[in-house]
């Protein structure tokens, strides 16, 4: 009997030890399973949602860029944690869905936010600005410095008669000579990767928006179309930076236009010969055969000689009634002008100005 009791105790002990081993084994398996679940399911979620951007990051992705190029751009910025980005990018197959554009990621943005926005092409618009540019080439360079399209593609399009001809502003066909009338200086929100064609379409719509019913009615009463108003405004824009005298200068040219006189606007001569830094207009400059030379050809030039500001456009549309037919720069070089109703009065003003030029040896 004693032996049986000892044997029973041993069996019970072995059984308890075996159960403990099994429990320990199960516990290990459960722990490994938890680790596996965490690594496979929870870790990616944790990584994807945790902050991945250290500082505000601006990213430009060119058209036809590759996944490698996107990664290289981000790595160069050193402001984004690349491990979580690449992991989420792989899980979401971003490498086959590259969308070009301009993207801004604020500090604290997660890898999931970055990848989702890049995959969907949910880009941030840029501010497109330009003012008082004189030529298609100058405008093209200015615009190309702010968007993806290069200056050559923009310039080529704006010089393309075949492309421009179907477009009209109040039944006047667009040409390289008048296409600047489509560009009203302002700040526009556009997508960075828009093409040259989309850019022109946008500007075409924007100038149509600018021409409100009130502005259209004013132009109609003056007997001018939009392009003619823009052309007149471009001359005013080049003549003065003083907003207070823009309407007076516009009145001079409008008075001359109505009388059938030559406009004789110095800025048009500079445009005609392509020398915008010219300080003094000489007789030789007035011989240019360009249709933009208003000392030689009556009426308005074929199109704007720059992109006029809204102030200059509205100064023309104000249609201010004055007796002035002449003006010239004041001899004090203040940038303002002396106005005259008669040629004799104008000659006196002009002599005073030229005397001041001679004194300063300005040629």
């Amino acid at each position: 009997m004693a032996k049986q009791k000892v044997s029973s105790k041993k069996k019970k002990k072995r059984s308890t030890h075996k159960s403990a081993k099994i429990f320990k084994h199960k516990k290990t398996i459960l722990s490994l399973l938890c680790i596996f679940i965490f690594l496979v399911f929870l870790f990616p979620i944790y990584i994807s949602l945790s902050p991945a951007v250290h500082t505000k990051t601006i990213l430009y992705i060119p058209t036809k860029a590759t996944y490698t190029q996107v990664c290289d751009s981000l790595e160069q910025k050193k402001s984004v944690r690349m491990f979580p980005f690449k992991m989420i990018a792989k899980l979401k197959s971003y490498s086959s869905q590259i969308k070009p554009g301009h993207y801004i990621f604020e500090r604290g943005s997660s890898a999931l936010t970055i990848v989702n926005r890049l995959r969907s092409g949910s880009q941030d618009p840029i501010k497109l600005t330009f003012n008082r540019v004189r030529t298609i080439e100058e405008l093209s360079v200015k615009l190309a410095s702010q968007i993806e399209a290069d200056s050559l593609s923009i310039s080529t399009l704006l010089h393309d008669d075949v492309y421009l001809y179907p477009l009209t502003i109040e039944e006047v066909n667009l040409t390289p000579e008048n296409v600047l009338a489509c560009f009203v200086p302002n700040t526009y929100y556009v997508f960075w990767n828009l093409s040259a064609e989309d850019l022109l379409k946008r500007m075409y719509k924007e100038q149509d928006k600018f021409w409100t019913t009130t502005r259209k009615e004013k132009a109609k009463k003056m007997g001018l179309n939009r392009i003619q108003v823009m052309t007149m405004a471009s001359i005013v824009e080049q003549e003065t930076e003083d907003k207070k005298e823009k309407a007076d200068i516009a009145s001079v040219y409008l008075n001359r236009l109505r009388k059938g006189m030559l406009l004789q606007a110095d800025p048009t001569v500079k445009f005609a010969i392509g020398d915008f830094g010219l300080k003094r207009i000489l007789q030789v400059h007035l011989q240019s055969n360009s249709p933009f030379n208003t000392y030689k050809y009556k009426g308005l030039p074929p199109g704007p000689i720059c992109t006029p500001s809204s102030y200059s456009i509205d100064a023309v549309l104000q249609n201010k009634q004055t007796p002035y037919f002449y003006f010239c720069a004041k001899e004090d070089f203040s940038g303002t002008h002396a106005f005259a109703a008669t040629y004799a009065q104008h000659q006196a003003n002009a002599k005073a100005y030229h005397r001041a030029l001679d004194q300063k040896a300005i040629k």
Side-chain angles (χ1 to χ4, degrees):
M1 282 299 284
K3 284 183 179 180
Q4 285 180 350
K5 284 181 180 180
V6 171
S7 178
S8 178
K9 284 179 180 180
K10 284 183 178 179
K11 284 181 180 178
K12 191 173 182 180
K13 192 174 182 180
R14 279 198 298 269
S15 176
T16 302
H17 182 68
K18 188 176 180 181
S19 295
K21 282 182 75 175
I22 292 171
F23 177 76
K24 189 176 181 181
H25 185 63
K26 285 182 177 179
K27 189 176 180 182
T28 302
I29 291 174
L30 185 62
S31 296
L32 290 173
L33 183 61
C34 288
I35 292 171
F36 175 76
I37 291 172
F38 176 75
L39 290 174
V40 174
F41 299 104
L42 300 180
F43 182 65
I45 294 174
Y46 169 75
I47 287 293
S48 68
L49 297 178
S50 61
V53 180
H54 309 309
T55 57
K56 183 178 179 178
T57 300
I58 298 174
L59 178 66
Y60 291 91
I61 301 178
T63 300
K64 297 183 180 178
T66 64
Y67 174 66
T68 301
Q69 288 174 310
V70 174
C71 288
D72 287 344
S73 294
L74 286 173
E75 284 174 346
Q76 287 172 11
K77 293 182 181 298
K78 297 180 180 179
S79 59
V80 176
R81 293 169 60 205
M82 294 307 295
F83 173 71
F85 170 77
K86 289 182 178 180
M87 186 181 77
I88 302 303
K90 187 172 183 179
L91 287 172
K92 306 207 82 171
S93 303
Y94 170 58
S95 60
S96 62
Q97 302 181 63
I98 310 296
K99 302 287 196 311
H102 162 256
Y103 302 87
I104 300 175
F105 300 107
E106 299 295 338
R107 179 185 177 186
S109 297
S110 67
L112 183 63
T113 297
I114 296 172
V115 174
N116 280 345
R117 284 193 57 202
L118 294 180
R119 280 179 82 246
S120 65
S122 180
Q123 60 176 302
D124 296 281
I126 62 148
K127 290 181 181 180
L128 182 70
T129 60
F130 57 89
N131 64 329
R132 202 161 63 176
V133 290
R134 297 183 181 92
T135 64
I136 287 176
E137 288 69 30
E138 188 181 342
L139 177 64
S140 300
V141 171
K142 180 75 172 176
L143 296 173
S145 69
Q146 301 173 74
I147 61 175
E148 184 183 24
D150 60 82
S151 59
L152 180 60
S153 64
I154 298 171
S155 177
T156 300
L157 181 72
L158 299 183
H159 278 294
D160 189 343
D161 286 287
V162 176
Y163 182 86
L164 294 176
Y165 189 77
L167 298 173
T168 61
I169 294 179
E170 289 188 331
E171 299 182 0
V172 178
N173 295 98
L174 286 186
T175 67
E177 287 74 30
N178 65 26
V179 72
L180 286 185
C182 281
F183 294 82
V184 180
N186 205 337
T187 297
Y188 300 101
Y189 288 88
V190 302
F191 288 129
W192 173 75
N193 60 310
L194 84 170
S195 65
E197 290 87 352
D198 288 337
L199 173 65
L200 179 57
K201 287 176 184 176
R202 173 66 184 278
M203 293 298 102
Y204 185 77
K205 288 179 181 177
E206 291 294 344
Q207 66 81 25
D208 197 47
K209 271 196 234 175
F210 174 82
W211 281 94
T212 59
T213 301
T214 301
R215 285 190 173 110
K216 288 177 186 175
E217 288 175 352
K218 286 181 178 180
K220 189 175 181 180
K221 285 180 182 178
M222 296 166 67
L224 300 176
N225 61 42
R226 292 190 216 173
I227 292 179
Q228 289 172 325
V229 171
M230 292 288 283
T231 301
M232 178 73 80
S234 72
I235 297 173
V236 173
E237 183 75 19
Q238 290 293 306
E239 289 284 17
T240 184
E241 293 185 9
D242 189 337
K243 293 176 183 177
K244 293 178 181 177
E245 67 173 12
K246 284 182 183 288
D248 285 322
I249 287 179
S251 76
V252 170
Y253 289 124
L254 288 169
N255 286 341
R256 294 177 76 86
L257 192 65
R258 290 165 185 145
K259 285 283 186 179
M261 299 168 65
L262 288 167
L263 294 185
Q264 295 182 325
D266 289 357
T268 66
V269 178
K270 294 179 183 180
F271 185 89
I273 64 177
D275 187 351
F276 302 112
L278 200 61
K279 301 283 186 191
R280 199 167 186 174
I281 303 295
L282 302 176
Q283 194 63 35
V284 65
H285 302 133
L286 303 182
Q287 305 310 309
S288 170
N289 283 322
S290 168
F292 284 89
N293 181 2
T294 57
Y295 273 83
K296 195 164 189 176
Y297 296 96
K298 277 188 179 182
L300 287 162
I305 60 170
C306 74
T307 53
S309 66
S310 58
Y311 291 107
S312 294
I313 298 168
D314 288 333
V316 173
L317 292 174
Q318 184 180 331
N319 193 19
K320 187 174 182 179
Q321 303 301 305
T322 72
Y324 306 136
F325 282 89
Y326 309 91
F327 69 90
C328 74
K330 287 182 178 178
E331 70 272 20
D332 60 3
F333 298 104
S334 62
T336 56
H337 297 80
F339 294 87
T342 66
Y343 186 62
Q345 185 183 352
H346 172 64
Q347 278 189 312
N349 293 336
K351 280 181 182 179
Y353 178 64
H354 285 294
R355 194 160 47 244
L357 287 176
D358 292 336
Q359 289 172 356
K360 288 184 176 291
I362 298 175
K363 297 182 179 180

